[in-house]
Amino acid sequence: GQQLNQSPQSMFIQEGEDVSMNCTSSSIFNTWLWYKQDPGEGPVLLIALYKAGELTSNGRLTAQFGITRKDSFLNISASIPSDVGIYFCAGQQASNYQLIWGAGTKLIIKP
Amino acid sequence: NAGVTQTPKFQVLKTGQSMTLQCAQDMNHNSMYWYRQDPGMGLRLIYYSASEGTTDKGEVPNGYNVSRLNKREFSLRLESAAPSQTSVYFCASSVQGPYEQYFGPGTRLTVT
């Protein structure tokens, strides 16, 4: 099935660093969603984006709906240990009831 | 509010056995979903129910059946389990449509 290209696959971060990740596709999306999953838990919704160019924040997290409608970005500022986990993007297209999911970006804290 | 609850949390089955995974939500949501998650992969939709009384196939429906019992409950049945169905299963719900979905804690299923 169709997939979103999510990058990077994983990243090592130091506490206090800013983090950026993105999701891209060759197709246009109407909605972008960003989720975080902790080990052994279900994904938790972080940010929802509904309009091209939209920039939305949730605490230290900021996400943007790309102007071309084919991509989305998530930034985390001043990372802390509890930011560790897997971040997923998901998109919805006009012609498709189902969400399409990226494979995730795993955030790991450098020891 | 408990949100989305799933039972059981863990299950081990032998090949050929059947079982039903239960899901309930207390958020008065109309739409419900069943996903599976395999190591290193994103979520894949098995079945969904856009509203009470309707169910539709997702990306990977083979080997599964679902029942939308009422507005709160959506169950997933494996009639004859296979090792390829070893996975973590998540139930989710949304107010209406595939937008902001809220997930349960998951059921970890192993088929031997």
Side-chain angles (χ1 to χ4, degrees), chain A residues 25-103:
Chain A
S25 174
S26 56
S27 304
I28 287 173
F29 285 80
N30 285 349
T31 302
W32 288 98
L33 303 163
W34 284 93
Y35 285 84
K36 181 182 180 233
Q37 186 176 29
D38 291 325
E41 308 272 337
V44 173
L45 181 66
L46 299 173
I47 293 177
L49 302 160
Y50 293 103
K51 203 169 152 187
E54 183 181 353
L55 189 72
T56 297
S57 292
N58 178 5
R60 292 177 297 105
L61 277 61
T62 301
Q64 184 159 25
F65 194 139
I67 200 75
T68 65
R69 296 171 62 194
K70 294 182 180 180
D71 53 15
S72 180
F73 308 87
L74 177 69
N75 296 314
I76 305 172
S77 62
S79 54
I80 60 177
S82 61
D83 290 335
V84 160
I86 304 177
Y87 291 79
F88 289 100
C89 63
Q92 191 266 334
Q93 299 172 296
S95 57
N96 193 344
Y97 191 90
Q98 305 175 27
L99 286 181
I100 297 169
W101 291 80

Side-chain angles (χ1 to χ4, degrees), chain B residues 47-57 66-69 74-75:
Chain B
Y47 271 92
Y48 66 96
S49 171
S51 58
E52 188 180 355
T54 70
T55 60
D56 282 288
K57 294 178 182 178
V66 290
S67 294
R68 182 76 183 264
L69 304 166
F74 189 36
S75 62

Side-chain angles (χ1 to χ4, degrees), chain A residues 3-24:
Chain A
Q3 268 236 311
L4 296 173
N5 301 312
Q6 193 171 347
S7 65
Q9 269 190 321
S10 61
M11 51 194 311
F12 286 84
I13 57 170
Q14 283 212 312
E15 190 172 346
E17 277 183 350
D18 294 345
V19 171
S20 291
M21 61 189 79
N22 67 70
C23 224
T24 61

